[in-house]
Amino acid sequence: MRRTRFLAVPLVLLALAGCASTSKVMLAPARAPIDPAQVQVYAVPPAGSQEIAQLEASSAVGFGTQGQTDAALARLKREAAALGANGIVLMGVGSSGSPVGMSVGAGSYGRHTAGGLSVGIPTTQKKAAGMAIWVPPGAVPAAVD
């Protein structure tokens, strides 16, 4: 019983920590990397901006919190900054549920009897998509209708 519990805990923690990712499709050469704090989020690209890459980012698996949305947006900003983009045109934020919930269980071994328990935990992953852009100094953001 102790061995089963000892092995189950690290596996559950590993599953909870994983699954965050980013992907990109380059549309122009990357520029020199910048600090992610300098990356601005736009609804509409400012005049004169140049597209660098299409980006998608996802949060770690969790329970569908605002923190997961923030994490996905932060991943977009980090990826854009690594490409030298100083802006992101946000295309959308959504979530997807895990088709299989994680479960934790216990059982018995040999003559030693113990009750079994299995708990299904539904999980969600937040996803964000955007266009990494370079905005020239002095550009005026476009008006949003």
Side-chain angles (χ1 to χ4, degrees):
M1 171 83 165
R2 285 185 184 162
R3 186 178 184 134
T4 304
R5 197 174 336 155
F6 180 74
L7 292 174
V9 171
L11 291 175
V12 170
L13 292 175
L14 181 64
L16 284 172
C19 300
S21 65
T22 59
S23 66
K24 66 183 171 220
V25 175
M26 296 300 296
L27 302 174
R31 297 172 166 269
I34 64 169
D35 181 2
Q38 295 176 333
V39 178
Q40 298 293 315
V41 178
Y42 299 95
V44 179
S49 62
Q50 298 171 2
E51 296 178 347
I52 297 176
Q54 291 179 344
L55 304 174
E56 289 183 8
S58 62
S59 68
V61 174
F63 303 106
T65 64
Q66 180 62 44
Q68 284 181 283
T69 301
D70 295 342
L73 288 173
R75 291 181 78 76
L76 273 183
K77 283 185 162 188
R78 281 194 305 270
E79 185 68 27
L83 298 173
N86 60 2
I88 295 175
V89 179
L90 190 60
M91 296 176 167
V93 176
S95 62
S96 62
S98 173
V100 178
M102 291 178 279
S103 62
V104 178
S108 62
Y109 178 75
R111 292 185 352 197
H112 304 285
T113 324
L117 174 67
S118 178
V119 178
I121 303 171
T123 57
T124 302
Q125 192 172 31
K126 293 288 186 165
K127 298 181 182 239
M131 179 69 67
I133 59 173
W134 181 78
V135 181
V140 178
V144 178
D145 293 332

